[in-house]
Amino acid sequence: MTAAVDLDSYVLPLPTPTSPVVSAHLVVPVYAHLNAVYAAPIWPLAPLTANPSSKRPTIHWSTCPARFQDELRLLAWNLINGELRPTFLRERPVRMRGRISAENIRDTVGHWKHLAAWLNDRGVITLGGCSSAVLHDYGQHLLTKHTSRRNVLVILGALTRLWAFDQLSARPAGIERPPWDEFGADDYLLAASAGSSGGENETNPVAEQTMGPLLVWAMRMVDDFADDILAAWAETRRLTRKARRQRSTPAGNKVLNAYIGRLLATGSALPTTERGGKRRLARTYIAAITGASIAQVDRIARREQLAAIAAERPGPCPLEIPVRGRIHGQPWRARLDFAEAATLMRHLGTASFTVAAYLTGMRPQEVLGLRTGCCPAPEPGADGVVGRHLIRANEYKTATDEHGHHQSAGVERDVPWVAITPVVNAIRVLERIVPDGHLLFDHHAHDLRATRPGSGSLTHHTITSRIEDFIAWANTEATAHELSSEIIPPDLHGTIGTGRFRRSLAWHIARRPGGLVALALQYGHLRTALVSEGYASRSRDGIHELIDMETVRAVVDTVADLHDDLESGAGVSGPAARHAIKTAAGAPHFAGTAITALSARRLLDNEDAMLFNNPQALLLCHYKREKALCHRDGVKDTPSLDHCVPGCGNIVRTDRHAALLRFRANTLDVRASASPQPVGDRLRANAARLRAVSDTHDRTRITLLESA
């Protein structure tokens, strides 16, 4: 055995009780101090990860059955410090990595401990009792416990890794090969549900009624309020530093007594801040504006019982800085306040994250990993034309080295992300918050009242919580400014979270190019940039895949709706009417198609199957490239629904569209009757045009029976 260990670099020597959990060559220096020893009851895995937004996972051995601890410790140590053979990886039909991330190590060992608990309950006292038959029984047990095929697949993969590392152990337990590895996991899995591809593709998009006003308020914070908020925070910090430096002097005490005496004599409110849900006397603010020391403020507060008076008569702490931000032309604040500066700064960071994450399509960890300078001003090309702003970002989820091992620090994307103007503005605001060279969401810069030790960015959990706080704040502002149409309603699927923005962007680009979501023009810009100009590479995790899948889902819904209408006797008109009827006949086939990135791409390449709904133009588009008149932005594989052109050979209209056109014409007539003559004449002309289109539909419509 010793000779084999010496000759085989994949078999690690046995550790001692004082061996480090993470070997020195794998330790990330910033977390080196957290490294534990082999015999410790808790193993921190932070020394393995350089991802600034990742959690710090740990392995707690107290949750492992005692009789299995020695065996699992050794296998877990090998998992952390070793790697699987390349030959083993090549022989596996399912893609595996030789070395996995810290979070995956924690989860994998957790699955091992669950197996150990199951074995313990059945009287098995060693991992050597894991014969193929026993593992088969455990696989069947997993099927009764989990309803998700994806979850079971992950667990079976973790158990395959257990067996594989036992083969590489200097003291193997004798685990036999799992039957699912030999014969394939499908024998142990529930049938995959049609249309399910797992992961973010099953995440619910944020409803447009929620996303629209949320985006309005986020961009308003960045574009209109940022200068005021940053100035208020700078002034708040200046006053705080001033108050802390000031010594007790007779002059300061005189001004303080006069200031407090005036407030008490007139029954005025006292300056307060909020802490722990209670209003408290703003000691620091009062010291700063009077020139007194904080100790002098405390003495007069005790003497005059100011704490009780402040609770009864809480007042503001106005800052002597101008208010420049506007909401619909009116100042958004009468005065900025010392007490709310930190809260506004927190909301400004949240708004910047919302804009950057939603209007790029980046994964949350990529946004949280951005640093200052990631989006430089574009240089003019050889033709003198200045190109788009591009964001240089690291990808983390699929980051691997040349050996296929997970890279916790991430790797820079080959193709940068496109930054449209609102995103550039958000990045510029963040670059004013953090020092040069730092993470844009450095937690030291964004945790203003109390910060945790160590480096890194804000966490996903923190951002999720702050988004909910921001929504509550924005709704309070909307109410105060009497903007009922800009209140952010709750989303039907609950918490917004950070992972839903990416799916929501794809959904809205595919389905609402000119619809209800705020600033729909931005989606047109994004579709142009992401698809037409090739910035989203055809990599398996590009945002274009989500856009393709959402586009195809929208097509499937459109075809199904038309199929149902035609079966009920409805009619269609337009140059592509007969082609649309033929496509609608295939709706049952569409309904059974699993929408994956690959199937979406294949369907998009099938022009005969593509039927797009344009609710703004009140028409369907049976898209054919050679007939399309909408290609001003260069999109070739799908129509530009925000550039629909009358007279296009791809147009189809239904009875429902004709009825809605007449309703829109009636609305225009009502507006015309209350408008000046030139405007009224234009509105009436548009109404007449819409009625003419409806009349043409009525004369030329064909039904399913008539098309046969």
Side-chain angles (χ1 to χ4, degrees):
M1 176 61 70
T2 302
V5 172
D6 292 340
L7 294 174
D8 191 342
S9 62
Y10 289 91
V11 178
L12 302 180
L14 288 172
T16 68
T18 58
S19 295
V21 170
V22 181
S23 298
H25 71 286
L26 296 175
V27 170
V28 175
V30 69
Y31 294 129
H33 63 288
L34 298 177
N35 206 3
V37 297
Y38 185 84
I42 299 175
W43 288 5
L45 300 179
L48 283 171
T49 181
N51 183 336
S53 66
S54 69
K55 298 178 181 177
R56 298 181 187 176
T58 56
I59 297 174
H60 293 262
W61 288 111
S62 61
T63 60
C64 178
R67 62 178 49 163
F68 290 95
Q69 278 201 24
D70 287 344
E71 291 177 315
L72 283 184
R73 275 179 184 265
L74 177 58
L75 287 168
W77 188 82
N78 287 332
L79 174 68
I80 292 169
N81 297 290
E83 61 182 279
L84 297 176
R85 300 182 197 275
T87 52
F88 177 88
L89 299 176
R90 286 196 296 268
E91 291 169 358
R92 307 273 82 69
V94 178
R95 182 177 178 271
M96 295 183 73
R97 292 177 179 171
R99 184 179 292 127
I100 56 179
S101 69
E103 289 191 42
N104 282 340
I105 289 173
R106 188 245 351 250
D107 294 342
T108 296
V109 174
H111 296 314
W112 294 357
K113 288 192 286 187
H114 288 149
L115 169 64
W118 182 84
L119 293 171
N120 192 60
D121 290 344
R122 282 150 185 78
V124 180
I125 61 174
T126 174
L127 291 178
C130 286
S131 64
S132 293
V134 168
L135 290 173
H136 170 77
D137 290 343
Y138 187 64
Q140 297 302 306
H141 161 73
L142 292 174
L143 287 179
T144 64
K145 184 178 179 182
H146 297 274
T147 58
S148 168
R149 178 184 188 275
R150 182 180 177 85
N151 288 346
V152 176
L153 182 62
V154 168
I155 297 171
L156 296 184
L159 299 180
T160 298
R161 198 173 288 272
L162 175 70
W163 164 70
F165 273 99
D166 191 49
Q167 304 301 300
L168 298 176
S169 176
R171 190 172 61 212
I175 302 169
E176 293 187 0
R177 183 180 183 181
W180 52 82
D181 182 74
E182 184 174 1
F183 302 111
D186 286 342
D187 289 341
Y188 298 87
L189 299 181
L190 297 173
S193 58
S196 172
S197 55
E200 66 187 349
N201 299 327
E202 293 181 344
T203 303
N204 292 305
V206 180
E208 57 184 326
Q209 294 84 356
T210 301
M211 195 65 236
L214 173 56
L215 186 58
V216 165
W217 279 104
M219 293 181 63
R220 182 175 280 152
M221 287 289 284
V222 170
D223 298 339
D224 301 329
F225 302 162
D227 288 343
D228 288 349
I229 294 171
L230 291 169
W233 179 240
E235 178 65 4
T236 297
R237 287 189 295 173
R238 186 189 72 80
L239 292 175
T240 301
R241 289 192 299 269
K242 177 184 175 183
R244 290 172 177 171
R245 289 196 302 262
Q246 285 172 169
R247 296 178 180 274
S248 298
T249 64
N253 197 48
K254 181 179 179 180
V255 175
L256 172 64
N257 277 275
Y259 174 74
I260 295 297
R262 186 168 58 253
L263 294 177
L264 295 177
T266 59
S268 301
L270 298 183
T272 58
T273 59
E274 184 176 325
R275 194 188 331 155
K278 296 181 179 180
R279 301 301 299 185
R280 303 171 186 270
L281 187 70
R283 303 159 54 247
T284 302
Y285 173 79
I286 293 172
I289 65 173
T290 62
S293 68
I294 293 178
Q296 287 174 319
V297 175
D298 288 341
R299 281 196 293 272
I300 195 173
R302 288 192 297 270
R303 186 179 73 234
E304 302 293 342
Q305 297 183 340
L306 297 184
I309 298 172
E312 295 174 0
R313 303 203 305 261
C317 304
L319 297 172
E320 296 298 326
I321 58 174
V323 176
R324 306 186 187 281
R326 297 289 186 269
I327 294 180
H328 298 307
Q330 299 300 316
W332 72 293
R333 283 284 190 281
R335 299 287 289 272
L336 289 159
D337 197 279
F338 176 92
E340 71 168 346
T343 298
L344 291 175
M345 279 292 290
R346 186 172 70 252
H347 291 324
L348 180 59
T350 304
S352 299
F353 176 89
T354 300
V355 171
Y358 183 60
L359 290 179
T360 59
M362 280 191 275
R363 290 190 171 93
Q365 58 188 349
E366 291 188 48
V367 180
L368 294 174
L370 295 176
R371 293 184 179 271
T372 61
C374 65
C375 184
E379 298 289 337
D383 56 0
V385 177
V386 178
R388 294 183 180 273
H389 282 84
L390 302 176
I391 301 174
R392 298 289 176 181
N394 280 2
E395 57 182 334
Y396 296 94
K397 182 178 180 180
T398 58
T400 56
D401 61 18
E402 67 273 16
H403 303 296
H405 300 151
H406 176 72
Q407 292 281 82
S408 66
V411 295
E412 184 176 322
R413 281 185 170 274
D414 294 332
V415 181
W417 292 97
V418 179
I420 60 177
T421 300
V423 177
V424 176
N425 294 345
I427 290 175
R428 297 294 177 259
V429 165
L430 292 165
E431 288 175 333
R432 295 166 65 183
I433 295 175
V434 302
D436 286 344
H438 283 230
L439 294 162
L440 293 182
F441 293 94
D442 186 304
H443 75 89
H444 289 297
H446 290 272
D447 287 338
L448 303 177
R449 289 178 174 166
T451 185
R452 56 185 164 86
S455 62
S457 69
L458 296 174
T459 64
H460 297 245
H461 174 76
T462 298
I463 289 289
T464 296
S465 176
R466 291 188 179 192
I467 290 172
E468 295 303 307
D469 290 344
F470 176 71
I471 290 173
W473 174 86
N475 285 341
T476 300
E477 293 293 308
T479 301
H481 289 276
E482 298 181 347
L483 300 172
S484 59
S485 63
E486 296 183 12
I487 289 177
I488 307 169
D491 184 77
L492 293 176
H493 298 288
T495 303
I496 301 300
T498 59
R500 296 177 64 190
F501 285 145
R502 180 174 160 94
R503 171 74 188 278
S504 302
L505 173 65
W507 190 95
H508 286 120
I509 287 177
R511 296 179 182 249
R512 294 292 187 269
L516 299 177
V517 172
L519 304 169
L521 183 60
Q522 302 299 345
Y523 302 123
H525 293 334
L526 278 168
R527 175 121 208 172
T528 300
L530 292 173
V531 181
S532 304
E533 298 177 11
Y535 287 115
S537 65
R538 294 291 176 183
S539 62
R540 57 189 168 82
D541 67 339
I543 183 65
H544 79 282
E545 290 186 349
L546 284 177
I547 295 174
D548 287 349
M549 293 171 69
E550 288 302 332
T551 299
V552 168
R553 287 188 176 107
V555 167
V556 169
D557 291 344
T558 299
V559 172
D561 289 344
L562 181 59
H563 175 271
D564 293 344
D565 287 347
L566 291 170
E567 289 288 332
S568 300
V572 293
S573 68
R578 293 186 182 276
H579 293 296
I581 291 174
K582 182 178 178 181
T583 297
H589 171 71
F590 270 8
T593 302
I595 307 302
T596 64
L598 180 60
S599 65
R601 195 66 244 163
R602 288 174 176 170
L603 283 170
L604 286 172
D605 289 338
N606 179 7
E607 289 188 343
D608 291 334
M610 292 295 99
L611 190 62
F612 298 86
N613 184 29
N614 190 338
Q616 283 70 49
L618 295 179
L619 55 81
L620 302 178
C621 173
H622 193 276
Y623 184 67
K624 296 284 187 179
R625 289 176 179 83
E626 69 277 6
K627 296 180 181 179
L629 301 180
C630 59
H631 285 150
R632 286 176 290 178
D633 66 356
V635 176
K636 298 297 182 184
D637 55 352
T638 56
S640 300
L641 297 178
D642 53 340
H643 291 159
C644 237
V645 180
C648 179
N650 293 329
I651 287 177
V652 181
R653 279 198 170 87
T654 67
D655 293 343
R656 186 179 293 110
H657 289 142
L660 290 172
L661 286 170
R662 288 194 174 90
F663 177 80
R664 187 177 290 180
N666 294 337
T667 302
L668 292 176
D669 281 340
V670 172
R671 290 176 54 194
S673 64
S675 302
Q677 183 175 355
V679 175
D681 289 345
R682 286 197 297 273
L683 292 173
R684 280 185 283 271
N686 283 336
R689 179 180 57 80
L690 296 179
R691 288 192 180 91
V693 173
S694 298
D695 293 342
T696 299
H697 168 82
D698 292 343
R699 290 195 308 271
T700 61
R701 66 187 288 275
I702 58 174
T703 64
L704 182 62
L705 292 177
E706 292 169 340
S707 68

